[in-house]
Amino acid sequence: MPQWPQVFIVFVVFCGGCFLESSVAHGAVDLSASDTKTVKRLPQAIIIGVKKGGTRALLEYLRLHPNISAPGPEVHFFDRYHDRGLNWYRGSKCVDEVSGRFLAVCGEQTAAKNRRPKSNAADDDGEQMTIEKTPCYFVKREVPARIHRMSSAIKLIVVVRDPSTRAISDYTQSFSKGRTKRSFDEMLFHDGKEKINERWSAVRIGMYAKHLSKWLPYFPLEQIHFVNGEELINNPVNEMQAVERFLGLPSFISDDHFNFNATKGFPCVKRRHTDTDFRCLGATKGRTHPSLSARTLQLLNQFYARHNKLFYEMTGRDFGWPEKL
Ligand code: A3P
């Protein structure tokens, strides 16, 4: 377990979700804006991927934790808005860009403090860790260097899932959003032949080893935590406890927070102990996938086999793909 770097936060003001902090020493962070008593907080951890791996579920589960503060929307600073600078990154996310409204996470500070676990009072100095999630970061070449320039000590989280299932999930999303009218097989194979189109983004994103190799020159493996996307569905408490340990958070997330909803086919969560209902993620999460031929699945699994092997070697972990459905 890596040591948590020197991040000292004296107090947090107003907007937990929009990266506020004061008196900060933060690894390689540009501190030019921190010469006053209160400055805005940069994230200490980022969920960098992967798209359709279960990143929304992970973020929502993490937001159960009283020591976590995170904006709901994806931030896209390091890919789309990097030229706006770190001050934009620190401060802009209190306001939803589309609606112009304040985001729900802003001002949650007091409520969060009240929910803080009492059993961990010794290590809990009342501070929150700020995180964000933007799943496309994992596959964007320019992002590792940019994040490293902000903080060489930041913690990175990647939810990985059987890349064949991930590709089908990605396609299902594109189809349901009307981005394609073609079938999965038409997208997957070149010219009706059985050669897989590696340039199709639904396929490319699942070559995890290739993407990871772009991060390792900047961040040691110990600074990157891989969440098993299948386990996040089947055993969310175990996966979340591993994330808590990685982030150095007091243990909080437990069985009491989850209930497997048979209709939805996924775990749903209770945000507060006083809530009576477990809330599920929305209809865009947990879509029904198209059924594919056994041949298509076989070719897809064969294609990913060498990429998966390489990924297991790089991470020192065997994720056991293809998953048994
Ligand atoms: P499907 O909709 O294809 O089933 P992301 O949030 O990164 O876009 O990932 C979406 C995927 O998260 C879903 O893909 C689903 O399989 C998975 N998932 C994990 N936990 C979930 C949950 N509690 N509710 C809904 N989907 C969940």
Side-chain angles (χ1 to χ4, degrees), residues 159-294:
V159 193
V160 287
R161 167 188 197 185
D162 180 342
S164 300
T165 322
R166 200 220 67 82
I168 301 163
S169 171
D170 203 336
Y171 164 80
T172 307
Q173 172 164 287
S174 297
F175 188 86
S176 70
K177 288 187 170 177
R179 291 186 187 141
T180 182
K181 291 271 173 279
R182 299 168 72 194
S183 70
F184 186 85
D185 281 21
E186 284 170 325
M187 300 294 288
L188 184 66
F189 299 122
H190 282 296
D191 304 327
K193 302 207 178 72
E194 288 193 338
K195 184 168 177 348
I196 285 180
N197 179 6
E198 296 186 22
R199 297 178 64 184
W200 183 27
S201 67
V203 170
R204 199 166 27 83
I205 292 171
M207 302 178 196
Y208 301 143
K210 185 168 161 281
H211 304 300
L212 180 60
S213 69
K214 305 284 182 275
W215 290 84
L216 292 179
Y218 294 93
F219 298 98
L221 203 55
E222 302 76 49
Q223 233 167 289
I224 309 175
H225 180 73
F226 297 94
V227 173
N228 180 324
E230 283 85 27
E231 283 300 296
L232 194 63
I233 297 169
N234 299 327
N235 198 344
V237 177
N238 260 13
E239 282 306 302
M240 293 313 296
Q241 288 177 345
V243 174
E244 286 177 335
R245 285 193 296 275
F246 171 70
L247 294 177
L249 293 170
S251 172
F252 178 78
I253 297 171
S254 71
D255 279 325
D256 295 346
H257 289 106
F258 295 96
N259 182 39
F260 191 86
N261 182 309
T263 313
K264 175 91 180 164
F266 289 93
C268 299
V269 294
K270 197 188 263 189
R271 282 195 69 81
R272 290 175 196 82
H273 286 301
T274 48
D275 287 355
T276 45
D277 294 335
F278 288 89
R279 294 184 32 193
C280 303
L281 296 186
T284 61
K285 303 295 172 186
R287 292 183 175 103
T288 306
H289 293 177
S291 56
L292 305 178
S293 69

Side-chain angles (χ1 to χ4, degrees), residues 23 26 40 59 62 71 77 91 166 201 222-223 225 233 319:
S23 303
H26 195 302
K40 293 168 180 175
L59 186 77
L62 264 173
F77 172 67
R166 200 220 67 82
S201 67
E222 302 76 49
Q223 233 167 289
H225 180 73
I233 297 169
F319 287 84

